[in-house]
Amino acid sequence: VANKDNLNLPELISQVVGAIGSLKDTYGDFETHESLRSDQAKISEVLKELTDRLEDNFPYFHPNYAAQMLKAPHPVAVAAYLATMMLNPNNHSIDASPATTQMERDVLKQMAAMFEYPEEFLGHLTWSGTTANLEALWIARELQPTKKIAHSADAHYTHSRMSEVLGTTNVSIPTEADGRLSMETLETELKKGDIGTIVATMGTTGLGAVDPLADIIALARKYDARVHVDTAYGGFFKLIAENHLEPETARHYAALKDADSIVVDPHKHGLQPYGSGAVFFKDLSIGKFYKHDSPYTYFISDDLHFGEIQLECSRAGASAAAIWATLKIFPLTEQGLGSVLIPTRNAAKNWHELLLTSDSLMPYQKPELDILTYLPRVDSLSKLDFVSHELLVQAGSGSRQQQIHLATYVVKPEQLKARGISMTEDAANARILRSVLMKPEHETWVPALHSRVQELARQLIR
Ligand SMILES: Cc1ncc(COP(=O)(O)O)c(C=O)c1O
């Protein structure tokens, strides 16, 4: 049965709300100020209006949602976040978060170990992949103020945007037909001597492609450049790389330990609600760039406060608590969180196989992780754009139980040609279809998703 599990979330919520209530009671009673008092029935009415308004959403939690990078957090994360949020610790300083600062240290250690990073590293959680990458690029600029930052043309737009914010120059390196950064062009750029940091993306947002990190690092060392890895999406695939990804992809995952900095987002493949990124640096000396005066914080402990090594100030202790609790249930092993990722990878592989023999759909390229791109078999770019869009609209209509939600991805004629797909070039670009198959339930859902999308494609192409 869809959307059912063996967990009783209301019971877990009631457990933590009760426990936090009891904890508060131990400090002695006080009257809530009358300005804060409100009518229970009125609040209930507002919350009813809220849940009604949330009807206006796509079903991100359901395997019929096979569109963007979105899924619901795990109930353990929901309950842990709620419990902690009731106290609202701020992981900026130990004073503001003794318990959750320690939890953050614990989870960072586990994530660093996943990447095979040294035991001594500098890192912290962030609100997002964007802020985590901003910090990595900022450190890149501080270390080499006059040098440029190179990344692939398929890197997340955050890199060029943040380069703008930081006043650095960024160089966009084209990708090969598999969506990976072109090593040849990278070397040409490196030879000019002005690239300070190369950003490798492991799991590009559009295609889920994995840049050839092992080779990038070797080249970077030759030309004295640093390497930052944006693995916001793909980072947790490290857990299954060796046994469940292509050997070539696994080779690049194994090189993560040699990167100068790494970003990963627990709010993507770590079962977390939004507000959960992380950044890691290997060189401890970069801590000097974070030095600042703060006469109003940092008084309870001489230990390092996260505020002393992060750009953000306030940050939810609840995020750290939610990951900490989640990793107790899904440890960072192949059998733990890895068992959630193996079926997502299988889903993409299996759907790709079905597309190869379909009469009306074809793959755009072979998926490297769990992001699949595909297109209707048509003979012109304008038709491709029309059918893809129409397919997305028609698949998403009908009763809620019938709806399948897909995403689109814009490609250029030369990108199609590079992948051996030729058609009349009567438009500058066209949309194709894209499905981020990031829910483990997608594995069993794929045959049904495929047959519905294929049926619609047949009707539209006819
Ligand atoms: C590879 C990559 N980097 C960075 C980001 C930005 O992360 P966030 O949305 O958490 O700011 C994304 C988001 O999709 C991403 O896929």
Side-chain angles (χ1 to χ4, degrees):
V1 183
N3 197 20
K4 297 275 179 282
D5 59 38
N6 62 349
L7 292 176
N8 188 335
L9 183 60
E11 210 169 84
L12 297 173
I13 299 286
S14 157
Q15 177 194 326
V16 296
V17 170
I20 299 297
S22 305
L23 185 160
K24 285 180 165 178
D25 287 347
T26 60
Y27 284 90
D29 289 343
F30 67 96
E31 289 282 319
T32 300
H33 191 271
E34 58 186 358
S35 63
L36 291 171
R37 291 209 198 118
S38 31
D39 181 27
Q40 173 100 6
K42 178 71 187 152
I43 292 179
S44 172
E45 210 175 284
V46 171
L47 292 178
K48 164 83 173 66
E49 187 183 341
L50 166 76
T51 48
D52 286 348
R53 289 190 70 159
L54 291 175
E55 291 271 323
D56 185 19
N57 257 311
F58 294 100
Y60 313 117
F61 55 87
H62 198 287
N64 274 339
Y65 183 84
Q68 309 267 27
M69 268 173 201
L70 278 158
K71 68 174 181 180
H74 193 276
V76 64
V78 174
Y81 198 103
L82 174 65
T84 315
M85 188 181 62
M86 287 174 70
L87 298 170
N88 215 16
N90 181 340
N91 275 26
H92 165 253
S93 73
I94 297 170
D95 316 57
S97 60
T100 50
T101 285
Q102 188 53 49
M103 288 180 206
E104 178 162 338
R105 291 186 191 130
D106 288 354
V107 299
L108 291 168
K109 222 187 226 178
Q110 293 173 60
M111 286 196 261
M114 172 176 78
F115 295 129
E116 299 176 72
Y117 239 40
E119 278 186 26
E120 296 281 314
F121 62 87
L122 211 69
H124 60 87
L125 298 177
T126 63
W127 283 106
S128 69
T130 294
T131 44
N133 277 304
L134 167 64
E135 279 194 33
L137 299 191
W138 172 63
I139 292 297
R141 188 199 68 183
E142 293 301 296
L143 286 168
Q144 293 160 310
T146 59
K147 296 226 166 164
K148 298 176 181 171
I149 294 171
H151 54 74
S152 102
D154 279 5
H156 194 276
Y157 69 80
T158 194
H159 297 286
S160 50
R161 193 188 236 192
M162 289 307 160
S163 293
E164 236 178 271
V165 171
L166 292 165
T168 57
T169 307
N170 68 310
V171 180
S172 178
I173 310 284
T175 55
E176 303 285 0
D178 51 14
R180 296 162 157 206
L181 174 145
S182 158
M183 291 302 292
E184 205 182 314
T185 317
L186 178 64
E187 182 150 27
T188 307
E189 286 297 332
L190 284 166
K191 276 183 183 157
K192 296 179 188 166
D194 56 1
I195 304 285
T197 296
I198 306 158
V199 176
T201 306
M202 305 198 70
T204 57
T205 316
L207 303 172
V210 176
D211 281 340
L213 182 63
D215 305 336
I216 291 172
I217 287 177
L219 207 57
R221 298 300 172 242
K222 189 170 149 194
Y223 291 96
D224 212 18
R226 299 172 67 258
V227 177
H228 166 62
V229 184
D230 178 2
T231 186
Y233 186 74
F236 291 103
F237 280 91
K238 172 72 171 71
L239 300 172
I240 67 162
E242 212 173 306
N243 296 325
H244 297 274
L245 299 182
E246 295 292 331
E248 178 62 3
T249 310
R251 181 169 77 85
H252 299 305
Y253 268 95
L256 271 162
K257 62 179 186 313
D258 299 318
D260 295 294
S261 53
I262 302 177
V263 160
V264 64
D265 274 2
H267 68 206
K268 293 192 167 68
H269 256 305
L271 307 176
Q272 298 307 298
Y274 285 115
S276 194
V279 62
F280 299 84
F281 296 96
K282 191 177 272 175
D283 176 3
L284 305 181
S285 77
I286 58 113
K288 63 178 180 279
F289 297 119
Y290 287 93
K291 278 253 169 304
H292 61 282
D293 284 330
S294 177
Y296 26 74
T297 46
Y298 316 142
F299 44 83
I300 200 180
S301 166
D302 289 335
D303 287 349
L304 193 66
H305 301 253
F306 281 112
E308 295 178 281
I309 51 155
Q310 65 183 20
L311 285 184
E312 291 163 339
C313 186
S314 295
R315 194 159 51 68
S319 283
I323 309 175
W324 176 85
T326 305
L327 296 189
K328 288 269 180 195
I329 307 294
F330 300 95
L332 295 178
T333 59
E334 189 184 308
Q335 296 73 31
L337 186 64
S339 69
V340 181
L341 293 171
I342 293 165
T344 73
R345 167 71 189 136
N346 287 342
K349 256 198 327 201
N350 297 346
W351 198 349
H352 176 254
E353 284 297 312
L354 294 171
L355 291 164
L356 287 172
T357 54
S358 168
D359 58 5
S360 52
L361 294 167
M362 66 165 92
Y364 175 65
Q365 67 172 49
K366 197 170 165 188
E368 214 167 341
L369 300 178
D370 60 0
I371 299 176
L372 188 71
T373 38
Y374 50 104
L375 57 147
R377 292 181 191 264
V378 291
D379 53 14
S380 72
L381 276 171
S382 57
K383 188 130 194 226
L384 174 61
D385 190 69
F386 172 78
V387 174
S388 298
H389 178 67
E390 200 52 35
L391 218 154
L392 174 136
V393 171
Q394 291 192 19
S397 51
S399 76
R400 284 193 168 179
Q401 309 237 339
Q402 288 170 331
Q403 292 171 14
I404 287 177
H405 299 279
L406 310 171
T408 53
Y409 179 69
V410 179
V411 296
K412 295 190 174 67
E414 57 269 24
Q415 293 173 313
L416 287 163
K417 228 184 277 169
R419 288 160 178 83
I421 306 169
S422 55
M423 58 182 76
T424 308
E425 293 178 18
D426 56 354
N429 52 41
R431 284 167 287 189
I432 61 167
L433 293 158
R434 171 172 164 269
S435 285
V436 181
L437 300 167
M438 70 190 298
K439 289 178 276 277
E441 295 85 359
H442 279 136
E443 185 178 25
T444 49
W445 229 250
V446 151
L449 290 172
H450 175 70
S451 84
R452 174 100 176 96
V453 177
Q454 181 173 253
E455 184 193 305
L456 284 170
R458 279 181 188 149
Q459 288 166 18
L460 286 163
I461 292 168
R462 221 190 292 140

